[in-house]
Amino acid sequence: MGMSVITEATLAEICVVACAEVWRGDGEILASPIGTVPMIAVRLAASTFEPDLLYTDGDAFLLGAPIPVGAPADTPKLVDGWMPFRNVFDVVWSGKRHVMMGATQVDRFGNQNIACIGPWEKPKAQLLGVRGAPGNTVNHPTSYWVPNHTSRVFVERVDCVSGVGYDRAAAAGPTASEFHEIRRVVSNKGVFDFETPDHSMRLRSVHPGVTVDDIVENTGFPLVIPDDVAQTRLPTDEELHLIRDVLDPQNLRDAEVKG
Amino acid sequence: MDKRMTEADVVGELRDGMTIGIGGWGSRRKPMSIVREILRSDLRDLTIVAYGGPDVGMLCTAGKVRKAVYGFVSLDSIPLEPHFRAAREQGTIQAMELDEGMLQWGLRAAAMRVSFLPCRAGLGSAIMEVNPELRTVESPYDGQVLVAMPALALDVAIIHANRADSRGNGQYLGPDWYFDDLFCMAAKRRFMSCERVVDTEEFLKEGSEQTLKINRMMTDGVIEAPYGAHFTHCIPDYERDEAVQREYAATAKDPDAWKAFRAKYVDLPESDYRRVIGVSE
């Protein structure tokens, strides 16, 4: 049990652990991951330091024990409950949820865009639509996962505010801001939060092998950079075992993370 | 009352300019045989309300849509619906884009016959700007300011069930019933296709009483349509046909490819459709 194993952790595995960490301390709420790495991350958190989390099979069933990501539909499951979309909305609006969504664009106050690029009226690129981002962000904690950290994603201003950031929530009044929290942004380069006086984005940690300069260069707005920037923690041996052998034996995580 | 009818009967009740809600979710349990019948008709200027999938994409590409009302449009395994994208990027449709929760809230308001329901979702987001008709409302109790989500009243709802009886009761057997009942309750006329029409006493052989989410007050017509949701999934009857979905998605960039897809999958009787997708009659 030494460094030999730990240093073998891949970037994708480091990202899985960084994503899992966003749910630390959340307790008995619904953890909703969008994307492969966040899905592995929820199951990892629930298997280790956050055992009370609720999470689904990616469809309508809550799981009492994790199954691997990408498992065939007929994989036996310990069903812990039923969570069709209608109940998901009930949970969203009740606040007992923390979602990790993707972001085509995210700005310094945590406004997120997944709807379109260019003017909404006639977009240059129509994307998904806002999906649940407006409701998620004003009702319960939201985090973002960005597997390709570039200045095209981390932008000064997003084209269409799908998920609401701190500045917009404040401007929209107390009903918008009372339950608003953008907890964390995890990218393939580092981890970011909004724990600054004006809730502008701060570099929380850099992933091993990534420099602060690299992050600054690939971010389209001024980040708050602490004097001492921490390094994102490495997976423990137990976490590596769970990721590789139990939660993602097909190694789907590598396909999502840009090296 | 025997409510059985055909897809053509349904389309016979539709008119240009109607607002039509479509059940299912993304590329899941969509009433595609009725959608195909609409494609074969000369209907136009429809407003489509949906958790959108290929239903929305196909209707856009076929020039049937004046306006789409949606929280998203996605093929699930292909996240971006390419035909819907093309329609939006070319500006051929109007759009009302909503938070997913707001969409069901608008259907619920219509079902309750109230003009709006309050919600927190939408505040602070672009939704309030791109839909200038949306208003906020102040609570008379504590001054809380909320979005007043307007009722999404439908002229017609179309949904697809796993089983139905001829009287218009419907049963879903998959993991989720989505919002099919709300679509029906928000609409004046309601049509339900199904994989199989069964005798009422057969329902409980396949699912519990709790799977009978559609009752006959909610429906005006029943259409037996085996593989009627194809190529979207209709679990447990069949999974999504990913190969046909990929074939469909690939036609968005090439009008000739779409024409060929239409000729192969749309411009033919439904009984031939089942032959084309290789399922026995």
Side-chain angles (χ1 to χ4, degrees), chain A residues 104-106 111-121 123 125-127 129-130 133-134 155 157-164 168, chain B residues 88 97 124-127 129-130:
Chain A
T104 306
Q105 295 176 323
V106 61
N111 295 289
Q112 165 248 29
N113 175 24
I114 51 171
C116 62
I117 299 297
W120 181 88
E121 290 70 21
Q126 171 69 37
L127 306 174
V130 297
V155 294
R157 191 181 297 271
V158 304
D159 291 358
C160 179
V161 177
S162 311
V164 181
R168 302 258 310 192
Chain B
R88 283 278 290 135
E97 188 162 317
S125 76
I127 288 312
E129 291 145 22
V130 301

Side-chain angles (χ1 to χ4, degrees), chain B residues 163-175:
Chain B
R163 304 286 175 270
D165 66 11
S166 61
R167 306 175 78 195
N169 296 302
Q171 180 179 38
Y172 83 103
L173 296 168

Side-chain angles (χ1 to χ4, degrees), chain B residues 16-263:
Chain B
D16 292 349
M18 274 188 169
T19 297
I20 300 177
I22 305 180
W25 174 282
S27 188
R28 311 178 198 195
R29 205 156 45 71
K30 286 286 180 178
M32 295 304 289
S33 71
I34 299 175
V35 169
R36 285 190 290 269
E37 191 71 33
I38 296 174
L39 260 68
R40 290 189 286 266
S41 76
D42 56 7
L43 283 165
R44 49 181 293 178
D45 293 332
L46 303 175
T47 293
I48 301 296
V49 181
Y51 289 103
D55 48 342
V56 173
M58 271 192 200
L59 289 166
C60 285
T61 285
K64 301 300 182 192
V65 180
R66 183 179 63 85
K67 183 177 183 182
V69 181
Y70 56 90
F72 64 85
V73 182
S74 172
L75 299 174
D76 292 314
S77 52
I78 301 172
L80 306 181
E81 215 294 355
H83 290 271
F84 167 71
R85 293 191 76 180
R88 283 278 290 135
E89 291 165 16
Q90 291 159 19
T92 57
I93 59 165
Q94 297 173 35
M96 182 184 197
E97 188 162 317
L98 296 166
D99 169 83
E100 291 171 4
M102 291 171 78
L103 181 60
Q104 55 116 22
W105 214 225
L107 294 171
R108 190 173 285 282
M112 292 167 66
R113 304 174 299 170
V114 297
S115 62
F116 75 92
L117 282 171
C119 63
R120 192 186 310 273
L123 290 173
S125 76
I127 288 312
M128 302 305 289
E129 291 145 22
V130 301
N131 301 296
E133 68 270 39
L134 291 180
R135 297 281 183 271
T136 55
V137 62
E138 185 177 323
S139 164
Y141 301 107
D142 60 5
Q144 194 177 40
V145 175
L146 296 155
V147 175
M149 178 59 210
L152 295 171
L154 308 174
D155 292 310
V156 170
I158 56 175
I159 65 170
H160 185 78
N162 295 94
R163 304 286 175 270
D165 66 11
S166 61
R167 306 175 78 195
N169 296 302
Q171 180 179 38
Y172 83 103
L173 296 168
D176 199 324
W177 88 107
Y178 311 122
F179 300 87
D180 291 356
D181 55 338
L182 276 184
F183 278 98
C184 288
M185 292 172 73
K188 294 194 198 89
R189 298 280 288 168
R190 300 78 40 95
F191 303 104
M192 169 173 56
S193 57
C194 65
E195 287 301 310
R196 201 161 73 235
V197 172
V198 297
D199 292 335
T200 308
E201 56 265 33
E202 301 289 309
F203 279 137
L204 298 186
K205 291 181 179 170
E206 292 193 271
S208 70
E209 292 87 344
Q210 288 75 22
T211 62
L212 299 170
K213 292 292 189 192
I214 305 296
N215 63 59
R216 56 198 168 81
M217 281 186 291
M218 299 177 183
T219 57
D220 300 291
V222 173
I223 303 91
E224 186 167 51
Y227 290 88
H230 185 273
F231 53 89
T232 74
H233 83 46
C234 189
I235 294 169
D237 293 309
Y238 44 90
E239 295 284 340
R240 184 179 303 121
D241 191 330
E242 299 287 357
V244 175
Q245 175 157 295
R246 279 195 298 274
E247 199 178 334
Y248 161 72
T251 64
K253 285 194 158 49
D254 177 359
D256 287 337
W258 165 249
K259 267 186 213 157
F261 184 92
R262 246 200 98 123

Side-chain angles (χ1 to χ4, degrees), chain A residues 48-63:
Chain A
T48 53
F49 56 79
E50 209 53 47
D52 292 338
L53 286 178
L54 284 76
Y55 58 100
T56 72
D57 60 354
D59 211 329
F61 297 105
L62 294 166
L63 294 179

